[in-house]
Amino acid sequence: MISIIFGFVVFWVLARKLKLSKSIVPAVAIGLSVFILCVHLTLPPENNLRVLLGGSLEPWVLLVSISLVVYFYREILRRIRSISTKNTKENFPVNISEVTFSDIELDRYSRHVIMREIGGSGQKKLKSTSILVVGAGGLGSPVLQYLSAAGIGKIGIIDDDVVDQSNLQRQIIHNDNSIGVPKVFSAQKAIKEQNPHVVVKPYNRRLNQDIANELLSEYDIIIEGSDNFETRYLVNEVAKSLSKVVISGALSQWEGQIMVFDHAINSPCYECVFPEKPADDLAPTCAEAGVFSALPGVVGTLMAAEAIKHILNLGNGLRGVMLIYDAMQSETRLIKLNKATTCRVCADGKN
């Protein structure tokens, strides 16, 4: 029996080295199993051939059973990978055939590359993607840091503010030496120090109607982390017209919220959820109401995770739902979002 197994292993190794058809090894295994089965079922126990094959059928049944379990497990994994790769290509069509990595980059992203769900092709997709981050403050800080660490190829940052002493309690991408420096340049410096392989484009100005269409059209994904409703409405309307994905976040004292608006499909938009700007006393700014220092880190990191998952088409995203995180109570809630039939931006059959 051992000699038969050893001979088959030698044949399998030779078949791999000679790059023979992948169907040969399974065909030989099936033929050999049928032969052994016939020998044990038709010949008497004292027959020399049956003795040579172990004398009993039970060990062969056990061996074949284990082999089949291993084979089908590998086959299931292969098909899952194949389906995942196909869906990723269909969901986010980027040209990765010419994307390459230096040895330093391969070492840097090795923890991604060894993950079955990401691998080398997934890391190439990340490098081929461009993301615009609106706002380089509390939410923008962790978003920018994790996007650059993950290896996003091009990151745009738009913000017209400068770093203030009061920002440093939560806006961790900036430091004491950045006080008085425009936030986009402070963030650019921090990103390049963290990952020099990322292209960073700072826009030291406020996002307005004049530049919104041209700027948003340059990027694959928009992450909206501003602190005012005017900018949120503007990003929503322009992104909707361009069929862009927007990952939106907001903060208030102990609570944060995240929503993903995939404008390439017929999903709710920001204005479906907030058709009108709340009264000022109902939605005070961080400067007016304060914000828990670690809250932007939690919410911003989740926003970065949603962006990466969308690029790779992995897991369950937050399309069509609002995630609310309550840091005081350590609770998260999910609220289903619906399209509003009276929405100014996407009603009347508009996509």
Side-chain angles (χ1 to χ4, degrees), residues 326-337:
D326 186 333
M328 175 68 79
Q329 303 302 326
S330 297
E331 293 179 347
T332 57
R333 304 189 300 278
L334 290 176
I335 299 176
K336 181 176 173 55
L337 306 177

Side-chain angles (χ1 to χ4, degrees), residues 212-220 222 238 242 244:
N213 192 81
E214 181 179 358
L215 182 59
L216 267 62
S217 64
E218 184 181 334
Y219 292 87
D220 300 314
I222 315 301
V238 175
L242 296 172
K244 298 286 186 178

Side-chain angles (χ1 to χ4, degrees), residues 130-207:
S130 59
I131 297 180
L132 176 67
V133 179
V134 181
L139 290 174
S141 291
V143 166
L144 290 166
Q145 288 181 310
Y146 274 104
L147 292 182
S148 63
I152 298 300
K154 184 173 78 171
I155 300 174
I157 319 167
I158 183 165
D159 196 311
D160 67 340
D161 201 4
V162 299
V163 179
D164 183 78
Q165 188 77 252
S166 63
N167 300 148
L168 303 184
Q169 165 253 12
R170 65 199 178 281
Q171 299 180 19
I172 56 173
I173 202 169
H174 311 298
N175 58 46
D176 199 65
N177 293 328
S178 301
I179 294 175
V181 176
K183 288 183 178 179
V184 292
F185 299 132
S186 171
Q188 180 189 31
K189 181 176 182 291
I191 291 172
K192 297 303 287 187
E193 289 176 349
Q194 180 188 42
N195 189 350
H197 307 285
V198 174
V199 175
V200 184
K201 298 187 69 173
Y203 305 93
N204 184 27
R205 59 178 302 176
R206 190 177 187 85
L207 183 67

Side-chain angles (χ1 to χ4, degrees), residues 11-64:
F11 168 75
W12 176 71
V13 172
L14 290 175
R16 286 178 62 91
K17 286 188 174 295
L18 297 175
K19 297 182 180 180
L20 301 180
S21 173
K22 292 183 178 180
S23 61
I24 289 180
V25 173
V28 171
I30 293 172
L32 187 59
S33 300
V34 171
F35 172 74
I36 293 172
L37 177 64
C38 292
V39 167
H40 282 284
L41 291 178
T42 59
L43 298 179
E46 64 275 7
N47 183 274
N48 291 334
L49 182 57
R50 186 168 174 178
V51 173
L52 179 64
L53 293 176
S56 175
L57 184 60
E58 285 75 12
W60 289 107
V61 171
L62 179 62
L63 178 62
V64 170

